[in-house]
Amino acid sequence: MKLGLNLGYWQRNADDATDSVLAAERLGYDSVWTAEAYGSDVFTPLAWYGARTSRIKLGTSIAQMSARPPVTTAMTAMTLDHLTGGRLLLGVGASGPQVVEGWYGQPFAKPLARTREYVEIMRKVWRREEPVTNDGPHHPLPLPGGLGKPLKLITHPLRPEIPVYLGAEGPKNVALAAELAQGWLPLFAFPSKIEEMYGEALAPRSPGFDIAAMVMVVISDDVRAALDGVKMMLTLYIGGMGAKQRNFHADIIGRMGYAEAAEHIQSLYLAGRRDEAFRAIPDELADGISLVGPAGRIKERLELWHKSPVTSLLVMGPRDEPTLRTVRDLVLG
């Protein structure tokens, strides 16, 4: 199993994680990942850390497709990959309708078809085999009826095949990742339930396909307080990160076996009863998707992750070198 550090969103007031990234590189972590929603972008912090490191891989988790045309993401990825010596892992995803329609003003319809077109166009850009065209309905190139002509990337990419990961939660989207991408980025992974939930969708994946699961890690003797930190995060995602009619995060919790709880949590949250929503999150759910407690307890619970299809653990939470070292020793032995 490979080990990565997921930094999440960059926050204002000088949230510079360079020291953490350098420590992770020294300790042998395989990768570091950044994120975006409707605040900081995903590429700028990654370029910042990439300029200060030399070995650790650099992942986007995730670059939102509606934020950029596919050729823009392809150009940005090519540039960053070149500048960092071929270390980019490009995670992309459809996000959700609240962000796509509310923030980017783009239609959310047909995310699977849009994803397929998006990835195919990026790969055409990087390969430079011919001027890029696309006949699909979502990203037609060149624009029909205009004065544009097919173009070919001016710069030769360092790598004609940059690894693409898909952020996916629904079974059909996971199946698309297994078919189309080099990896899958699950936001919430319950290791003992992955096969049951996604076994069929993952069946066609190729050898070397990377299931890079994000997991919140809290090393503490106070298990109750650590679980409450995980539950606070879940309260926001289940309750508020999505429309009432379409919340993919709540849906995935339902597929884990907590559909009734997810519906109740969302109703409480949207009614402004956030403390009650927090208390309604089952401890078993919070514990199942995280690694919390004393080091010995975490080591025991890691067995479930090692037995699962997960091939990379992207840890969220630890930032200081001693804790990162402890996590490394627990995960990698």
Side-chain angles (χ1 to χ4, degrees):
M1 182 176 285
K2 292 178 289 187
L3 186 59
L5 173 63
N6 194 309
L7 300 172
Y9 312 128
W10 176 85
Q11 301 293 334
R12 65 188 184 93
N13 299 327
D15 179 19
D16 185 350
T18 297
D19 289 345
S20 300
V21 176
L22 290 172
E25 183 169 69
R26 284 194 298 270
L27 293 168
Y29 279 59
D30 181 70
S31 57
V32 60
W33 301 73
T34 55
E36 68 182 8
Y38 42 94
S40 58
D41 80 285
V42 74
F43 287 109
T44 307
L46 209 59
W48 181 263
Y49 303 131
R52 289 156 172 76
T53 55
S54 59
R55 181 198 59 80
I56 198 165
K57 294 172 187 169
L58 307 161
T60 60
S61 175
I62 58 170
Q64 297 171 310
M65 295 190 302
S66 296
R68 308 163 186 88
V71 294
T72 305
T73 300
M75 290 192 301
T76 306
M78 178 277 298
T79 306
L80 185 53
D81 194 57
H82 241 308
L83 289 171
T84 59
R87 289 188 280 148
L88 183 65
L89 304 173
L90 181 63
V92 298
S95 188
Q98 270 199 331
V99 172
V100 171
E101 296 174 1
W103 185 246
Y104 297 118
Q106 300 291 323
F108 185 74
K110 299 185 178 179
L112 294 176
R114 285 191 292 112
T115 300
R116 184 182 294 278
E117 270 190 42
Y118 202 98
V119 173
E120 288 175 353
I121 291 171
M122 290 196 301
R123 286 176 171 156
K124 286 181 180 180
V125 170
W126 298 328
R127 288 169 184 163
R128 292 190 79 256
E129 293 171 348
E130 57 189 2
V132 178
T133 62
N134 181 55
D135 296 329
H138 303 287
H139 304 285
L141 288 174
L143 185 69
L147 299 177
K149 66 176 184 178
L151 299 171
K152 188 161 67 172
L153 187 68
I154 296 171
T155 309
H156 288 256
L158 182 66
R159 295 186 292 173
E161 292 288 344
I162 294 172
V164 173
Y165 287 60
L166 292 189
E169 293 180 285
K172 290 182 180 179
N173 212 355
V174 173
L176 184 67
E179 174 199 344
L180 200 63
Q182 282 76 43
W184 168 39
L185 291 162
L187 175 60
F188 301 128
F190 202 122
S192 61
K193 298 177 184 283
I194 292 175
E195 284 287 359
E196 176 188 347
M197 294 171 65
Y198 300 113
E200 186 177 344
L202 289 168
R205 68 189 186 274
S206 60
F209 184 83
D210 190 16
I211 300 177
M214 291 166 264
V215 56
M216 193 167 178
V217 178
V218 183
I219 301 176
S220 171
D221 291 332
D222 191 339
V223 177
R224 175 73 270 154
L227 278 177
D228 284 349
V230 179
K231 290 173 69 171
M232 191 70 70
M233 176 268 295
L234 282 170
T235 303
L236 173 62
Y237 275 86
I238 298 172
M241 293 288 279
K244 180 173 177 56
Q245 301 87 345
R246 199 166 190 183
N247 183 325
F248 297 120
H249 307 311
D251 290 346
I252 192 175
I253 299 303
R255 286 193 291 272
M256 288 178 182
Y258 301 95
E260 187 175 329
E263 184 178 354
H264 183 51
I265 292 159
Q266 188 181 39
S267 295
L268 290 170
Y269 190 96
L270 294 177
R273 298 157 63 183
R274 298 184 181 183
D275 289 343
E276 292 178 66
F278 166 79
R279 292 194 296 271
I281 294 182
D283 284 350
E284 178 188 339
L285 168 61
D287 206 18
I289 66 164
S290 65
L291 289 165
V292 303
R297 183 179 192 272
I298 290 176
K299 184 175 182 180
E300 290 177 5
R301 296 191 65 80
L302 271 166
E303 288 301 313
L304 295 171
W305 294 89
H306 284 294
K307 291 176 182 177
S308 79
V310 171
T311 50
S312 293
L313 273 188
L314 311 184
V315 300
M316 300 181 291
R319 289 290 186 92
D320 62 280
E321 186 161 358
T323 305
L324 290 169
R325 180 181 292 107
T326 299
V327 171
R328 179 203 63 183
D329 294 344
L330 288 170
V331 174
L332 302 182

